């Protein structure tokens, strides 16, 4: 009887450790306010933008923020990010495939000197992609309004 209780106790501790680890993992994933329900079964993708020259056409952009400009280019699935403030803080575009199960962030850590940076993704055709601009300030992400683009 004692061995059976001990084994059950070990299983319970193992399950508790898995729950704590998974919860901590969600909290660490980029520091956003996304909850487990927000992410669901989606695979979180974190990319760091590369310094590139903006090219291509037919982009939808958000330039409202004083800290960051972002664009999504459906042809080629390219997320563009431009840091507009020389404050040493990161800027990003966060995106979600509303028709699928992918969600991610393209983060620019290169600063204003890099001008436009990009992350090139391979998203499914015919999906709605929701995206928003953000900047890191005072230990948290601050997000602008969301846009949805048919890719």
């Amino acid at each position: 009887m004692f061995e059976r209780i001990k084994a059950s106790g070990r299983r319970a501790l193992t399950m508790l450790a898995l729950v704590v680890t998974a919860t901590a993992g969600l909290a660490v994933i980029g520091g956003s306010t996304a909850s487990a329900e927000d992410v669901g079964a989606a695979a979180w993708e974190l990319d760091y933008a590369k310094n590139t020259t903006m090219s291509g056409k037919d982009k939808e952009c958000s330039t409202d923020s004083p800290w960051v400009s972002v664009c999504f280019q459906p042809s080629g699935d390219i997320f563009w990010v431009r840091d507009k403030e020389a404050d040493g803080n990161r800027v990003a575009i966060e995106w979600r495939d509303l028709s699928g199960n992918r969600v991610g962030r393209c983060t620019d850590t290169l600063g204003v000197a890099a001008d436009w940076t990009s992350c090139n993704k391979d998203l499914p055709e015919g999906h709605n992609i929701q995206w928003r601009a953000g900047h890191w300030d005072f230990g948290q992400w601050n997000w602008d309004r969301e846009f949805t683009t048919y890719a």
Side-chain angles (χ1 to χ4, degrees):
M1 179 79 167
F2 181 74
E3 283 301 311
R4 188 172 177 190
I5 292 171
K6 192 192 294 187
S8 296
R10 267 187 256 144
R11 276 192 294 266
L13 285 176
T14 301
M15 291 302 292
L16 179 61
L18 288 172
V19 168
V20 168
T21 302
T23 304
L26 283 174
V28 170
I29 295 177
S32 78
T33 58
S35 67
E37 296 81 35
D38 293 331
V39 175
W44 182 263
E45 301 173 24
L46 177 61
D47 296 295
Y48 289 94
K50 295 178 178 31
N51 191 3
T52 56
T53 301
M54 185 181 258
S55 61
K57 57 181 179 174
D58 300 326
K59 299 171 194 65
E60 290 193 35
C61 299
S62 170
T63 58
D64 299 340
S65 168
W67 298 279
V68 59
S69 291
V70 298
C71 299
F72 174 57
Q73 180 180 334
S75 174
D77 305 323
I78 301 173
F79 293 99
W80 297 93
V81 184
R82 182 174 173 253
D83 193 339
K84 293 167 43 176
E85 184 71 29
D87 57 7
N89 291 328
R90 295 171 283 172
V91 294
I93 184 170
E94 191 171 72
W95 58 271
R96 174 186 311 268
D97 180 350
L98 297 176
S99 308
N101 67 344
R102 290 173 64 188
V103 61
R105 182 178 303 143
C106 173
T107 304
D108 178 347
T109 59
L110 301 173
V112 295
D115 199 35
W116 284 99
T117 61
S118 68
C119 294
N120 192 344
K121 304 300 288 181
D122 185 16
L123 300 173
E125 299 301 315
H127 284 207
N128 287 312
I129 307 300
Q130 186 179 67
W131 50 276
R132 62 185 179 171
H135 69 281
W136 182 262
D137 199 17
F138 297 108
Q140 68 180 13
W141 281 104
N142 299 286
W143 298 104
D144 294 338
R145 66 187 173 112
E146 297 172 339
F147 297 87
T148 301
T149 304
Y150 184 76

